[in-house]
Amino acid sequence: MNSPRIVIVGGGAAGFFAAITCAESAPGTEVIVLERGPQFLAKVKISGGGRCNVTHTCFNEREFATHFPRGERALISPFKRFQASDTVAWFAARGVKLKTESDGRMFPTTDSSQTIVDCLLNATRQAGVKLTANCGVDVAARRPGGGFELSLPNGESLSCDRLLIATGGCRTPALGQIAVSLGHTLETPVPSLFTFHIATPWLRALAGISVGTVKASVAGTGLHERGALLVTHWGLSGPVILRLSAWGARALHEKNYRFALHVNWLPQLSDETLAREFQTRRNSQPARLIVNSPIAPLPARLWEQLVLASGAARETRWAALSRSTQHQLIQQLLRTEFQVTGKSLNQDEFVTCGGVRLGEVNFKTMASQVCPGLFFAGEVLDIDGITGGFNFQAAWTTGWIAGRALAEPGNA
Ligand SMILES: Cc1cc2nc3c(=O)[nH]c(=O)nc-3n(C[C@H](O)[C@H](O)[C@H](O)COP(=O)(O)OP(=O)(O)OC[C@H]3O[C@@H](n4cnc5c(N)ncnc54)[C@H](O)[C@@H]3O)c2cc1C
C-alpha cells in the first residue's frame, strides 16, 4: 500500500508544528508544506519585536484558556493535551531553552526569534518534511473517491489524502476561501489587539508617559480592564488598551472605532478618599501650588495636565481649591472621558478575530466536521488571544493535535 500524502497549506507556526508532529509520529508518511510567501515562518521571525514570545508561563489549562476572547471553551481540552509546559519541553528537547520575564512572557534565552525559526526548520529537515515556498494554494477540491486535488500557481495540480489548512488569520474573507469552498463558515474577520486614537491635545503632549495601573472602560458597554497604560503620539496603548481591544474586537468594530473611553487614573482610591486627601493638603500645605503636588503614583506631568484639564488655574494653591473645582478634579482623576476616533494596529503583535467557525471543527483531532480528511490549525480558526505568548501557544497546541491526527490512518 502506498504511504499517504499529507499536504499542509501555510508554512507558519501552526503548519510547521503540525508537519513536524505528523512526520515524527508516522515515519514514511509524505508530509508537504506549501507556503505562499518566499519565506517560511515569516511571522515567527518578526514576532515579539524580533525576540518571539513563544508562550506564557501559566501551566493550568483552564486559566490559560481564559486569555482567549475567542476560543476559550474550545481550547481547554486541547491545552490538557499540549500546553505551555509541553511547549517548553518540546523546544528544550531540541536544544532551545526558554526564559520567563517578570510579566510571564517566555522567550528563547538568546532573545532572538531566529533561534525558534532555525529550530523549527531543523526539525522539519530531520523529520523529512518537504517544504515548498512561493506556492500559494487558492483552490482545493474534494476528489470523488476521497482526498483532495490542489491547484498550484504553476498550473499543475497536487493530490493528497489529507489536507491541513494553517493559513493564518483571515484578515479578509478571501483568505478563508479554501475553507469556505470546502463547506465551512467563516466568522466575519475583524482586527484584534489595536491601540486607540485620541486627539485630546493635552494627552498627546504626554506621549511616552506610562502609568502602572489604571482602570479603563468603554462607555455603554460592559467592557472594562485594569492594567498598565501608555500614552502615545496618537492616543493610548499599553496592556490595558490591548486587552480592551481584544475583548471588545467586535463591539468596537460595530462602533466604527468611535466611542467614549473612561479612564480612572487612581483605581485604588475612592471619591471620598480623594476628598479627604485634598482637605489634608488644604491644611498641611495651603500655600503650595496644586499643579506641583501630585498624588502618588501619578507622574508629575500627567498630574499637572489633569489638574489643568479639570479647570483649575495653574496658580491655584491648595488653600484656594473651591468645592466645585475639587469636584471637577476628582471627576478628572477617576473618570476622565476621552473620545476615541480610530485605531492603529499594535506594532508588536496583532491578530484577527474571526475565522473558521469553531463548532464545525472537532478539537480532539482538529478535523473538520463538515469535510472528511480536512483539518485546521492556528489563527485560521476563530481563535485569538491577548498579547503575551497566548497566540503562539494556540498555534503550537492546535498544530500538534492536528499533526497527531493527520498521522493516524483512520483519519483519512
Ligand atoms: C508583528 C506580529 C508580532 C507577533 N508576535 C507574537 C508573539 O511574540 N507571540 C505570540 O504568541 N503571538 C505573536 N503574534 C501572533 C502570531 O504571530 C500568530 O498568532 C501566529 O503566527 C499564528 O500562526 P499561524 O501558523 O496560524 O499563522 P501564520 O504564522 O500567519 O502562518 C500562516 C502562513 O500561511 C501562509 N499562507 C496564507 N495563505 C496561504 C495560501 N493560500 N497558500 C499557501 N500559504 C498560505 C502565510 O503566508 C503564512 O506564512 C504576532 C503577530 C504579529 C503580526
Side-chain angles (χ1 to χ4, degrees), residues 72-194:
E72 174 177 350
R73 250 172 2 123
L75 282 170
I76 293 173
S77 84
F79 286 149
K80 283 187 181 157
R81 293 177 59 203
F82 194 95
Q83 56 137 309
S85 59
D86 298 304
T87 303
V88 175
W90 194 96
F91 280 103
R94 289 157 181 85
V96 173
K97 283 205 184 104
L98 303 182
K99 59 168 179 173
T100 308
E101 305 220 320
S102 57
D103 57 4
R105 293 180 302 158
M106 301 192 81
F107 294 88
T109 50
T110 56
D111 275 328
S112 168
S113 59
Q114 192 61 46
T115 306
I116 303 298
V117 171
D118 290 343
C119 172
L120 293 168
L121 283 171
N122 281 339
T124 47
R125 239 172 259 134
Q126 277 171 16
V129 174
K130 296 180 183 167
L131 300 177
T132 310
N134 297 308
C135 189
V137 177
D138 292 318
V139 179
R142 285 187 68 186
R143 288 186 312 204
F148 301 88
E149 200 73 31
L150 312 180
S151 306
L152 304 185
N154 61 6
E156 291 180 8
S157 65
L158 179 71
S159 60
C160 64
D161 301 285
R162 287 163 232 154
L163 177 64
L164 171 70
I165 308 284
T167 46
C170 307
R171 232 168 298 154
T172 62
L175 292 170
Q177 187 208 319
I178 306 179
V180 172
S181 72
L182 293 171
H184 278 273
T185 318
L186 276 196
E187 302 292 357
T188 316
V190 299
S192 181
L193 298 179
F194 47 85

Side-chain angles (χ1 to χ4, degrees), residues 78-381:
F79 286 149
K80 283 187 181 157
R81 293 177 59 203
F82 194 95
Q83 56 137 309
S85 59
D86 298 304
T87 303
V88 175
W90 194 96
F91 280 103
R94 289 157 181 85
V96 173
K97 283 205 184 104
L98 303 182
K99 59 168 179 173
T100 308
E101 305 220 320
S102 57
D103 57 4
R105 293 180 302 158
M106 301 192 81
F107 294 88
T109 50
T110 56
D111 275 328
S112 168
S113 59
Q114 192 61 46
T115 306
I116 303 298
V117 171
D118 290 343
C119 172
L120 293 168
L121 283 171
N122 281 339
T124 47
R125 239 172 259 134
Q126 277 171 16
V129 174
K130 296 180 183 167
L131 300 177
T132 310
N134 297 308
C135 189
V137 177
D138 292 318
V139 179
R142 285 187 68 186
R143 288 186 312 204
F148 301 88
E149 200 73 31
L150 312 180
S151 306
L152 304 185
N154 61 6
E156 291 180 8
S157 65
L158 179 71
S159 60
C160 64
D161 301 285
R162 287 163 232 154
L163 177 64
L164 171 70
I165 308 284
T167 46
C170 307
R171 232 168 298 154
T172 62
L175 292 170
Q177 187 208 319
I178 306 179
V180 172
S181 72
L182 293 171
H184 278 273
T185 318
L186 276 196
E187 302 292 357
T188 316
V190 299
S192 181
L193 298 179
F194 47 85
T195 63
F196 296 170
H197 288 190
I198 296 167
T200 309
W202 67 258
L203 183 72
R204 290 197 170 187
L206 295 172
I209 276 185
S210 61
V211 185
T213 305
V214 306
K215 182 177 173 199
S217 47
V218 176
T221 71
L223 291 167
H224 58 88
E225 287 289 332
R226 264 175 188 252
L229 182 80
L230 175 68
V231 183
T232 68
H233 289 289
W234 55 91
L236 290 174
S237 179
V240 70
I241 299 298
L242 294 177
R243 281 207 292 274
L244 272 182
S245 78
W247 289 100
R250 288 217 179 276
L252 302 183
H253 176 76
E254 275 161 26
K255 291 178 178 294
N256 199 21
Y257 307 106
R258 302 179 86 82
F259 52 88
L261 177 77
H262 292 151
V263 177
N264 179 344
W265 303 94
L266 293 166
Q268 67 282 18
L269 301 182
S270 65
D271 291 55
E272 295 71 30
T273 324
L274 272 174
R276 272 200 303 276
E277 174 64 23
F278 290 170
Q279 191 52 46
T280 305
R281 289 176 180 220
R282 275 194 192 91
N283 298 335
S284 63
Q285 43 186 301
R288 201 154 170 216
L289 293 177
I290 296 176
V291 287
N292 286 350
S293 36
I295 290 191
L298 293 184
R301 279 174 59 213
L302 172 63
W303 166 261
E304 180 189 5
Q305 292 304 328
L306 288 168
V307 171
L308 297 176
S310 74
R314 184 175 286 283
E315 47 295 336
T316 312
R317 296 173 196 278
W318 283 106
L321 177 63
S322 68
R323 291 284 153 202
S324 67
T325 310
Q326 166 169 314
H327 175 73
Q328 289 307 320
L329 181 52
I330 291 176
Q331 283 293 109
Q332 202 59 237
L333 290 168
L334 303 188
R335 287 174 281 277
T336 302
E337 180 168 311
F338 293 113
Q339 293 305 319
V340 175
T341 54
K343 63 150 187 11
S344 284
L345 285 182
N346 172 40
Q347 297 297 311
D348 294 332
E349 178 175 349
F350 48 87
V351 287
T352 307
C353 152
V356 171
R357 183 170 287 173
L358 302 187
E360 297 174 351
V361 176
N362 175 355
F363 275 74
K364 289 195 173 82
T365 55
M366 303 314 298
S368 160
Q369 316 241 44
V370 176
C371 175
L374 178 66
F375 295 75
F376 295 99
E379 213 187 307
V380 68
L381 292 156

Side-chain angles (χ1 to χ4, degrees), residues 10-12 16 33-45 117 121 130-134:
F16 264 63
V33 177
L34 304 178
E35 164 58 43
R36 181 194 294 287
Q39 302 288 340
F40 296 100
L41 299 163
K43 255 197 206 167
V44 173
K45 179 79 173 100
V117 171
L121 283 171
K130 296 180 183 167
L131 300 177
T132 310
N134 297 308

